[in-house]
Every structure is written in C-alpha cells, then in structure tokens.
Amino acid sequence: MGSGEMTTALRPVAGGTSAAARRPQAGRARSMLRYAARRLAYSVPVVLVASFVFFWAIRSTFDPLAKLRQGRDPGVITRETARLGLDRPVIEQYGLWMKAFVSGDWGVSTRTGDHAQEMIGSALGTTIQLMVWAVLFAVLIALAIGAYSAARQYSLGDHLLTGLSYLGVAMPAFWLGLMLIQILAIWPREQFGLAQPPLYFVGLHSPGQSGINADYFRHLALPVLTLTIGLIASWSRFSRASVLEALTSEYVRTARAKGVPPRRIFFRHALRNSLAPFVTVVAADTALLIGGLVVTEQIYAISGMGRLFLDSLLAGDVFVLLPWMLIVALAMVLFNLAADLGYALLDPRVTLR
C-alpha cells in the first residue's frame, strides 16, 4: 500500500469508530470507487513499463522462428519475419503485440500449436481452483491459531503452535509435497493392499472423469494440503502479532477501564481490528500464487499457470510467455487493489484519498 494513498486516524477509539465510519454509506462507496479508478489509472503505466521490459527480455532471449529456421526455407522465414514485425524496432514490435493482445489475438503456441488464449485460460482456471480452496482453509485455520496463541500468549499451546509454524515455514514445498504423497497415498495403499490409493497425486481428475465429484476431491486434497500448510505457517504468525498489537492498543485499554467483559473486548475490538492488516497480507500473498505455484503444480502434474510458465520457458514458447506475463501482472494489480479496498472496508478509520 503506497504511503499517502491511504491514511489512518492517529487516535483510534474503542470499537474502531471515527468520523469516517459515520459518513453516509453512499458517500463512502463513491469515495472507494473514485479511489479504485485512480489506482487503476496509476497502474496502467506501471504495467506497460513492466510488460515492455519483459517483452524486450523475451525477444532478446528467444527466437519465435526457431522451429522454422530448422527447415531452412528462406522464403517462409522472410514472410513470417515481416508478418510478426520482427524486422522492426523493439518498441514498434511491442506496440504491435500489445494491439493484438487487446484485440484478443494472443498468438499460437510454437510448442503445442494451440491458441495461447485457450492455453492460458485453461491454466488460469486450474490455478484458481487450487488457490480458492487453499486460501479458504488457510485463512480460517490461521485466524483460529493466531487468535488462540494471542489469547494464551506464552502458554504451552502457544509455544507448540509457534514451533509448528516455524517448521511449516522451513519445509520446502517440493519436499513437503513428496512426503505427503508417500504418507497419505502410497503408504496406505501398500500397507492395506488397496486397489487404488485413498488420495490421488496426478492431475485434478482421473481419465474419463470431470466436474466436481469424489474423484475431483481425491485429486485436490494433496496439492491443496501442500499449499495450505505453508500458508497457515506464515499467516498464523502474522495473525497472532496483529491480535497482540490490538490487545495492547489504547482503545482496548479504554474498554477495559470501562468494565467491558474480556470476551467482548477480545472478539469485538482486538480480533475485529486485527483483520484489516491480516486481509492485506492475504491478498498480497494470494496475488503471488497466480503464477507462483510452479513447484506444487509440477509435483502433482497439474496443468496450471506455474507449470505452463515452466514448460513454455523451457521450450522458448514466446507466444505463450508474453500473454502469461501480462495476465499475471494484471492479476497482481487487481489483488493489491482489493487488499487496499478490503482494508478500508474492515477499518472505518481508514480514509481513501
């Protein structure tokens, strides 16, 4: 969140209310819409500059006509060079590519021959499925762990959960995924002589299966568990720190002095006011998951955005890498905007400017 874009009142009062919270809802909604529109406008040049740098790097590293050059047909190479604008300056090439992207022409993969738009759409849908389930479970469990640890600070349970969270942060995703496959899929099948493992670890459906059914959840369980453990480990620590900070704040001390019951202080004041920074962290980390599930998707052979990027990078598939980059950049912009708006919705003291 940029400094100066969102400012917070210096003196919070019990319950987290302020003049900003008493504004008419319609006026606050208009303020949020104006802020969102302004942030999106500010993001346009950032995305353009970032996409141009990536475009230049890809164009300098990979040759879109590498496969054609193997055929050694100068006429075909000359025609494709002119059609793709590869004989023009890089800034002009970027302009032509961006114009085609906006019009829906993302190109054809040199690796598979499929349209890049269809490949990215399918991969994005798969990655979103993993993200939704993992983030949902991680948020609920991390909040519960953070609240428990803060309420019983330095207790045996707090120390135990702290140790487990550090262990979760320290475990590499590739090692955790392989261990979960061994313990929850391969070992039960061998020990109990099962025809099929209780949980699958390849893809999201068995051959001939589709939709949301038992087969889907048996495939989904292990990759989601791999993601969830890592997210819980980091988010629970942040949740604990946010709740502890709220418990030592001035408005909580004021509520205690007024005789407000401890249970109400904890849930209505401390926990509620700790949600705003927690949501910001969750949104920011979720944005990174859009293209950052390379390890998990590779281990479980899931055709998501991370695996698509790795396969395209290794094959030098320019026509998939370029739109992939832009989609991920746009997703990060939108998730960060959602984090700022969520912060303002949860904390009425925040003023959008």
Side-chain angles (χ1 to χ4, degrees):
M1 190 189 318
S3 59
E5 292 177 349
M6 303 180 67
T7 56
T8 307
L10 295 179
R11 294 190 61 192
V13 296
T17 59
S18 65
R22 294 190 294 270
R23 291 178 182 174
Q25 293 299 317
R28 185 163 178 82
R30 286 194 298 270
S31 176
M32 295 185 71
L33 287 175
R34 287 195 300 268
Y35 174 78
R38 189 166 57 251
R39 280 290 303 275
L40 289 175
Y42 292 158
S43 300
V44 169
V46 176
V47 172
L48 289 177
V49 171
S51 62
F52 173 75
V53 171
F54 195 87
F55 180 90
W56 173 81
I58 290 294
R59 277 287 193 260
S60 302
T61 306
F62 300 107
D63 180 8
L65 304 180
K67 287 191 174 181
L68 289 179
R69 297 188 195 282
Q70 295 174 4
R72 298 181 181 179
D73 187 340
V76 174
I77 294 174
T78 301
R79 287 194 298 272
E80 286 299 302
T81 299
R83 185 180 70 85
L84 298 174
L86 300 179
D87 54 347
R88 304 183 186 186
V90 66
I91 187 67
E92 191 173 349
Q93 292 183 41
Y94 172 76
L96 291 173
W97 172 77
M98 182 59 72
K99 181 180 179 181
F101 177 88
V102 173
S103 65
D105 181 11
W106 294 8
V108 177
S109 169
T110 57
R111 179 172 60 91
T112 65
D114 297 325
H115 289 283
Q117 191 171 11
E118 297 175 359
M119 295 175 65
I120 292 177
S122 176
L124 183 60
T126 300
T127 294
I128 287 176
Q129 292 180 60
L130 296 178
M131 285 172 47
V132 167
W133 291 107
V135 170
L136 176 63
F137 290 131
V139 165
L140 295 176
I141 299 173
L143 278 175
I145 292 176
Y148 175 87
S149 295
R152 293 167 173 79
Q153 187 181 17
Y154 302 132
S155 66
L156 178 61
D158 180 29
H159 286 303
L160 178 61
L161 291 172
T162 297
L164 290 176
S165 66
Y166 287 146
L167 181 63
V169 171
M171 286 190 298
F174 72 88
W175 182 86
L176 176 61
L178 294 175
M179 289 299 101
L180 290 177
I181 290 173
Q182 182 66 35
I183 295 171
L184 299 179
I186 297 177
W187 183 83
R189 181 181 179 180
E190 293 176 347
Q191 287 296 116
F192 300 104
L194 303 176
Q196 296 290 336
L199 299 176
Y200 298 121
F201 49 90
V202 177
L204 290 183
H205 288 101
S206 298
Q209 296 283 339
S210 62
I212 300 177
N213 49 32
D215 178 78
Y216 170 75
F217 287 109
R218 289 174 70 181
H219 281 82
L220 193 70
L222 287 178
V224 167
L225 183 59
T226 303
L227 292 175
T228 302
I229 289 175
L231 294 175
I232 291 173
S234 58
W235 289 354
S236 63
R237 303 309 302 161
F238 188 87
S239 175
R240 177 182 183 274
S242 297
V243 175
L244 286 175
E245 182 179 359
L247 286 172
T248 59
S249 61
E250 182 180 346
Y251 57 85
V252 168
R253 289 196 296 268
T254 302
R256 286 173 178 157
K258 291 181 177 180
V260 179
R263 189 180 186 86
R264 185 178 180 186
I265 290 175
F266 183 82
F267 286 102
R268 183 166 182 178
H269 301 304
L271 184 59
R272 179 180 175 183
N273 284 285
S274 70
L275 289 179
F278 179 77
V279 166
T280 303
V281 170
V282 168
D285 287 351
T286 302
L288 297 176
L289 295 178
I290 291 289
L293 300 184
V294 178
V295 174
T296 301
E297 291 175 354
Q298 193 70 13
I299 289 174
Y300 295 102
I302 296 174
S303 300
M305 289 290 282
R307 193 178 185 200
L308 177 63
F309 172 78
L310 182 60
D311 291 343
S312 301
L313 184 66
L314 294 176
D317 195 346
V318 175
F319 299 107
V320 174
L321 289 173
L322 291 174
W324 183 96
M325 167 275 307
L326 193 53
I327 293 298
V328 171
L330 291 173
M332 295 187 70
V333 168
L334 293 177
F335 271 100
N336 280 287
L337 175 61
D340 289 349
L341 295 178
Y343 198 107
L345 285 173
L346 290 171
D347 192 343
R349 300 168 295 172
V350 173
T351 302
L352 297 175
R353 292 183 180 177

